[in-house]
């Protein structure tokens, strides 16, 4: 029996008449009769006895019915799954973020997205920028979220949000009483910031230089989390991204904006010309709504324009 014959047989078993089966299938009565006749001729066994305008299934028809019903139950399941995939209620998100982003607002946005869509499954990785780019370019990951600058011939980017490097310090530090910290107030204070090879170190050095400050850098770190831990233990003021602290508060530790600000852009990173899943489209829309809320005052503006990376 081919699929069309199975479909007609199943409809006749449900309706009990050729007319009813034709109505279920949205076809003409003669077409149902023709398919049924060819099916019985091919099988060389009768499937129905015709009495009083109704079709009565033979024992052979009753014997194969459970298996055929199972087939159509699976087809219904596939149909529901396709509708759910289109609607973004199921599927798999394959994501990666730079360390402070993945452990900060990206994790928070994934959690709230999954709360609305319990059928969604997620792979979320925290990676160094170079590894993040390689994974996206090779299409091992559908979406990356990282800090500028991003330069790779196989990826394209969109700006997700602009925010700034902040002063992270103990809440009993004298500068913690201020809503903003002027960069010149850091003169002479122990500073914790990134290693020279880190992308954001250049931003920090330039801002300090423009303020006429020769920084007293006491500790250099590779990760924002390490800088925050050092600030918590009193080693100085950490000039780092406050992403993690915004979404995963540490009692006794605060972040204060710098004046003038040290702006940085967070980028959505995708493989160039890669197909985009429906579920990822729904997640990106959710992420764009959630990030300004999660970052609060740290999110200065949002730019959704697309830019291709040369």
């Amino acid at each position: 029996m081919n699929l069309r014959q199975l479909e007609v047989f199943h409809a006749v078993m449900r309706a009990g008449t050729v007319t009813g089966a034709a109505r279920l299938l949205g076809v003409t009565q003669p077409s149902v009769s023709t398919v049924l006749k060819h099916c019985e001729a091919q099988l060389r066994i009768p499937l129905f006895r015709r009495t009083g305008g109704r079709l009565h299934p033979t024992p052979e028809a009753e014997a194969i019915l459970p298996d055929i019903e199972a087939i159509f139950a699976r087809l219904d399941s596939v149909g529901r799954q396709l509708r759910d995939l289109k609607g973004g209620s199921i599927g798999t998100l394959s994501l990666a973020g730079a360390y402070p982003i993945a452990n900060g607002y990206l994790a928070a946005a994934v959690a709230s997205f999954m709360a609305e869509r319990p059928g969604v499954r997620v792979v979320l990785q925290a990676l160094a920028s170079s590894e993040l780019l390689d994974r996206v370019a090779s299409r091992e990951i559908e979406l990356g979220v990282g800090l500028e600058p991003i330069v790779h011939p196989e990826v394209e980017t969109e700006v997700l949000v602009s925010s700034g490097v902040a002063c992270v310090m103990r809440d009993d530090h004298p500068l913690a009483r201020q809503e903003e910290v002027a960069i010149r107030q850091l003169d002479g204070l122990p500073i914790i910031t990134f290693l020279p090879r880190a992308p954001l170190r250049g931003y920090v050095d330039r801002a300090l230089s423009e303020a006429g400050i020769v920084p007293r850098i006491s500790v250099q770190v590779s990760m924002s989390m390490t800088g925050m831990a050092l600030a918590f233990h009193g080693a100085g003021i950490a000039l780092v991204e406050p992403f993690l602290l915004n979404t995963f508060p540490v009692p006794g530790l605060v972040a204060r904006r710098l004046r003038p600000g040290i702006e940085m852009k967070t980028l959505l990173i995708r493989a160039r010309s890669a197909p985009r899943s429906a579920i990822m489209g729904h997640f990106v829309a959710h992420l764009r709504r959630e990030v300004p809320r999660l970052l609060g005052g740290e999110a200065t503006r949002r730019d959704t324009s697309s830019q291709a990376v040369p």
Side-chain angles (χ1 to χ4, degrees):
M1 297 175 75
N2 60 36
L3 186 58
R4 183 59 177 166
Q5 291 169 341
L6 290 172
E7 189 177 33
V8 167
F9 171 81
H10 188 243
V12 171
M13 290 294 286
R14 289 171 60 196
T17 65
V18 170
T19 302
R23 190 179 302 113
L24 285 174
L25 297 174
V27 298
T28 64
Q29 181 178 335
S31 66
V32 171
S33 297
T34 299
V35 170
L36 201 56
K37 183 185 299 184
H38 287 170
C39 181
E40 290 181 315
Q42 182 179 332
L43 294 175
R44 298 181 183 178
I45 56 172
L47 295 175
F48 298 96
R49 293 189 176 88
R50 296 149 178 85
T51 57
R54 293 190 65 84
L55 298 179
H56 298 278
T58 63
E60 291 79 7
E62 296 284 4
I64 63 174
L65 180 61
D67 287 335
I68 291 175
E69 284 183 331
I71 291 171
F72 282 93
R74 290 297 300 153
L75 288 173
D76 287 343
S77 175
V78 170
R80 287 193 301 273
Q81 186 176 28
L82 288 170
R83 288 191 295 273
D84 289 341
L85 284 168
K86 182 179 179 182
S89 59
I90 65 171
T92 299
L93 291 173
S94 178
L95 304 163
Y99 288 111
I101 296 171
N103 295 319
Y105 64 73
L106 187 55
V110 165
S112 58
F113 188 76
M114 293 180 67
E116 298 172 359
R117 298 167 174 82
V120 171
R121 296 294 176 265
V122 180
V123 175
L124 174 58
Q125 301 181 55
L127 301 172
S129 294
S130 58
E131 190 175 5
L132 171 63
L133 278 176
D134 289 342
R135 296 283 183 90
V136 173
S138 64
R139 302 192 182 186
E140 295 176 48
I141 295 163
E142 186 175 353
L143 179 71
V145 186
L147 297 169
E148 63 175 354
I150 298 292
V151 180
H152 195 291
E154 299 300 323
V155 305
E156 56 189 21
T157 67
E158 297 173 51
V159 176
L160 172 63
V161 69
S162 292
S163 55
V165 170
C167 291
V168 177
M169 65 193 91
R170 291 175 60 92
D171 60 6
D172 57 3
H173 193 284
L175 294 180
R177 294 192 291 269
Q178 304 175 190
E179 291 186 3
E180 293 184 335
V181 174
I183 290 181
R184 64 178 180 275
Q185 291 181 280
L186 301 177
D187 197 11
L189 297 179
I191 299 298
I192 304 158
T193 193
F194 303 102
L195 289 163
R197 66 173 180 271
L200 288 181
R201 175 61 183 271
Y203 291 79
V204 172
D205 287 348
R206 184 163 55 251
L208 294 172
S209 176
E210 289 174 355
I213 295 174
V214 178
R216 180 185 160 197
I217 297 177
S218 57
V219 187
Q220 300 178 81
V221 297
S222 59
M223 294 176 60
S224 299
M225 186 182 300
T226 309
M228 292 180 186
L230 286 161
F232 178 82
H233 291 293
I237 295 175
L239 298 184
V240 294
E241 319 100 320
F243 299 149
L244 184 59
L245 202 59
N246 282 116
T247 52
F248 195 56
V250 177
L253 209 56
V254 297
R256 296 292 182 258
R257 293 188 298 273
L258 278 169
R259 188 178 69 251
I262 303 176
E263 187 182 81
M264 57 190 177
K265 290 183 175 67
T266 302
L267 306 177
L268 299 177
I269 310 161
R270 296 184 176 93
R272 194 184 297 279
S273 303
R276 301 185 181 184
S277 65
I279 186 66
M280 189 60 77
H282 288 284
F283 177 72
V284 168
H286 177 81
L287 187 62
R288 289 195 180 281
R289 292 191 300 269
E290 285 290 284
V291 168
R293 183 184 69 81
L294 292 167
L295 293 186
E298 299 299 333
T300 56
R301 66 182 179 85
R302 184 178 67 175
D303 180 356
T304 60
S305 61
S306 179
Q307 60 179 357
V309 175

